[in-house]
Amino acid sequence: MTPVRAVRAEFGKALSLPAVWIALAVTLGGTAAITILNVVFTRADAALPAAEQVYDASAFEAGFAAMPIIGVVGAIIVGVVVMSSEYAAAQTEAGGARQIATSLVAVPRRGVLFASKAIVVATIVLASALVTIPGSIGLATLMLQDLPTDAVPAVDAVWRSVGATVYWLCMGLIAFAITALVRSGIVPLIVLIANSSLVSFTLLLTNLTPLANWLPDMAGRNLFGFPPDSVVPGGLDAVPGGIVMAAWAAVLLVIAGIVFARRDA
Amino acid sequence: MSDRSRTAAALSPGSAPGSGFVGAMMSTMMSTLVSALAAEFRKLTTLPLAVGSSIATVALGGVLGVAFALHAIRESVPATAMELVAAAVPYLVVGILLVGATPVGHEYAGRQIRVSITAVPHRGVFVAAKTAAALVWSAGTATLAMVANVAAVWVIRQSRGDAAALVPEPDSWLLQVLGAALFLTLVGLLAHAMTLVVRHLVPTLVIMMALTVLLPPVLAAFTEHARWLPTQAGALLFSGESDAVLNPGTGALVMVAWIVVVGAVGTVAMVRRDV
């Protein structure tokens, strides 16, 4: 099978997984729901006298607040299930086998199969980011049209959106690579989702050693560019952090690719 | 079969035929339940996922105790040992979710569910045995994890800290530690109940992670009604914090209500639907 056909086949497989559609629905619907809640609170806040206001009125912040949690979880689910579905046992009626055996018969060149899957994960995550991030910000802007000028300059808004997209992309690929290494979706899913929440093991580790700031999710956390008073301070700056995170994703993909190509399925 | 008739004979010597028959039925049911329960425990002890997730959760309890205690000493944070213990509990939730979801989830990882309900055709008995196994397994893991956590905090504080400078513990610390173990047990049971509904491990874990870890902080920022979420209500068992509406007892009841509702849906589904 040519690489192009392998990629097309992987798209077909990924888009036939219910979990992928649920992840996309959660990404889009969850960010929209949080955006609407944020708009309500921003509006209530802006109605107060200036001295009592908590936020600088910003449609961008209202639309962007969900990005570090919901979208990241969506990217993790996509990255994990595209690989873990290959290793799940089929129903007894279908022989109870794992799909990976069939996939390798269809695409015997393992490097091609692995790369096709990685391309599919990257494309789906990228597409969900391109719809969700501008969509949420647009929704908030529409709903807050009558408020005074946005506290976040347009240039910042664009760069922070790019940063969030990079973070989603790297996280999806890291989840994919780890799942390929362990051949099961359960542990990568639990650990990575927990790490995206307030119950973050890597964040806890940064309390014990500053080296933990170089771990992938911690390195990239300033890509979202939130004002320093609204997040846990510290960590690498956005650009070096993004590079470190991308390097993690690349290294893990290479290791997982080599293991995938050489190990008995 | 011969066991059943012997039990029936032993229970109805000379009594009225009706009550003897009912008694025999009850007794048969009980002995089936006991055998089913024994079988479920045997399964769990042979499952790498069940044993591994339990050991990992207990180990995590110890590691978190060391981490929080060292951090408090290094940064000179004046914290009671109980505060350090309470800080670790939300992390342990992640482990106990897997522990609670495994007994039913593993049945659907392959073809085992068919074998299991062939061996125990009475679905109600099957669900009861599974639930009892999940409860005991979760409670054991939760208790050991809290013991490991408290022991780790205590050892680190004794060996590294200036004991005299420490803040006195709240009088209720033992109750709070027991409350933490109960809280984790209930989280495991809720994960079990959700698995009865959803059946497969991965989607169950995603739903439970959303319900217990992702949503509460987000919703709590917007509305006070977030207190009715299971982990928000149950956390009053150990956090030592107060809430305008709930107290530790009613907080636990809210959690139990979640388990009963989700578990009832799951039980009906397990009994009535095709495998």
Side-chain angles (χ1 to χ4, degrees):
Chain A
M1 203 183 269
T2 63
V4 174
R5 289 178 62 195
V7 171
R8 203 182 300 158
E10 287 305 327
F11 263 113
K13 280 152 77 178
L15 295 180
S16 68
L17 290 171
V20 167
W21 289 104
I22 292 172
L24 292 177
V26 166
T27 302
L28 204 57
T31 46
I34 292 184
T35 298
I36 291 168
L37 279 173
N38 266 326
V39 165
V40 171
F41 274 73
T42 305
R43 195 170 279 288
D45 193 61
L48 294 174
E52 294 170 28
Q53 289 183 7
V54 186
Y55 316 112
D56 298 326
S58 162
F60 175 80
E61 294 289 8
F64 197 71
M67 299 311 155
I69 299 181
I70 310 278
V72 175
V73 171
I76 289 170
I77 295 176
V78 170
V80 166
V81 296
V82 162
M83 194 43 113
S84 71
S85 62
E86 293 280 344
Y87 291 99
Q91 289 182 338
T92 322
E93 289 86 347
R98 298 173 309 162
Q99 186 180 296
I100 185 74
T102 315
S103 301
L104 287 173
V105 170
V107 187
R109 284 160 65 202
R110 298 208 176 176
V112 171
L113 182 61
F114 187 83
S116 313
K117 283 188 172 296
I119 289 169
V120 166
V121 170
T123 311
I124 293 177
V125 172
L126 208 57
S128 81
L130 288 180
V131 174
T132 308
I133 298 176
S136 291
I137 297 166
L139 178 65
T141 312
L142 268 180
M143 293 176 74
L144 290 171
Q145 265 173 341
D146 50 326
L147 286 190
T149 48
D150 208 301
V152 179
V155 181
D156 284 15
V158 170
W159 278 115
R160 287 172 62 183
S161 301
V162 171
T165 309
V166 169
Y167 192 98
W168 289 16
L169 192 60
C170 289
M171 216 54 212
L173 289 172
I174 288 168
F176 168 76
I178 294 176
T179 312
L181 284 170
V182 302
R183 286 183 283 188
S184 156
I186 295 167
V187 173
L189 206 60
I190 293 188
V191 172
L192 292 174
I193 293 183
N195 262 350
S196 320
S197 71
L198 285 188
V199 187
S200 165
F201 295 98
T202 41
L203 186 60
L204 185 60
L205 212 53
T206 58
N207 287 337
L208 295 178
T209 163
L211 283 178
N213 280 317
W214 294 77
L215 289 169
D217 55 338
M218 286 295 111
R221 68 177 148 144
N222 287 326
L223 281 171
F224 295 103
F226 284 108
D229 57 344
S230 66
V231 288
V232 181
L236 304 176
D237 284 340
V239 174
I243 293 171
V244 170
M245 193 179 183
W248 271 102
V251 168
L252 283 170
L253 276 175
V254 168
I255 294 174
I258 292 172
V259 170
F260 184 82
R262 301 186 64 91
R263 166 178 73 185
D264 195 10
Chain B
M1 282 306 114
S2 64
D3 269 358
R4 287 194 184 185
S5 38
R6 240 182 283 140
T7 325
L11 271 166
S12 54
S15 60
S19 71
F21 179 70
V22 170
M25 284 291 286
M26 292 292 291
S27 158
T28 309
M29 209 60 173
M30 278 312 290
S31 79
T32 314
L33 184 58
V34 170
S35 315
L37 192 54
E40 290 306 331
F41 275 110
R42 185 86 191 94
K43 279 187 209 167
L44 286 181
T45 55
T46 58
L47 268 180
L49 184 59
V51 177
S53 58
S54 273
I55 292 175
T57 306
V58 174
L60 185 62
V63 170
L64 288 169
V66 171
F68 279 111
L70 277 183
H71 177 61
I73 290 168
R74 199 180 299 164
E75 306 284 313
S76 311
V77 183
T80 65
M82 190 54 229
E83 282 165 0
L84 300 178
V85 169
V89 177
Y91 293 83
L92 293 171
V93 164
V94 177
I96 209 82
L97 285 181
L98 186 52
V99 171
T102 300
V104 172
H106 87 91
E107 296 274 349
Y108 291 94
R111 51 186 292 191
Q112 192 177 332
I113 183 68
R114 287 154 187 258
V115 181
S116 300
I117 56 175
T118 307
V120 186
H122 195 298
R123 301 262 183 113
V125 170
F126 179 66
V127 172
K130 278 283 182 206
T131 304
L135 171 63
V136 172
W137 203 264
S138 300
T141 306
T143 309
L144 290 178
M146 290 319 297
V147 167
N149 186 253
V150 172
V153 168
W154 187 80
V155 167
I156 295 292
R157 292 208 134 189
Q158 290 296 315
S159 60
R160 299 285 292 275
D162 177 13
L166 296 181
V167 190
E169 293 301 319
D171 295 334
S172 60
W173 73 271
L174 186 58
L175 264 180
Q176 281 176 260
V177 172
L178 290 174
L182 176 61
F183 167 79
L184 289 173
T185 307
L186 293 176
V187 172
L189 215 49
L190 183 59
H192 163 73
M194 191 61 84
T195 323
L196 288 175
V197 179
V198 182
R199 294 186 275 192
H200 294 279
L201 211 43
V202 168
T204 306
L205 289 172
V206 172
I207 292 171
M208 287 304 298
M209 294 284 291
L211 188 61
T212 60
V213 178
L214 290 174
L215 276 183
V218 175
L219 290 185
F222 290 116
T223 164
E224 58 168 330
H225 297 301
R227 68 163 63 89
W228 301 101
L229 287 170
T231 46
Q232 293 290 96
L236 296 169
L237 278 168
F238 63 86
S239 64
E241 287 165 15
S242 57
D243 182 271
V245 178
L246 299 170
N247 62 41
T250 48
L253 284 179
V254 169
M255 264 191 117
V256 171
W258 273 86
I259 296 168
V260 168
V261 171
V262 179
V265 173
T267 304
V268 170
M270 285 296 276
V271 170
R272 298 191 67 93
R273 93 186 139 198
D274 198 9
V275 177

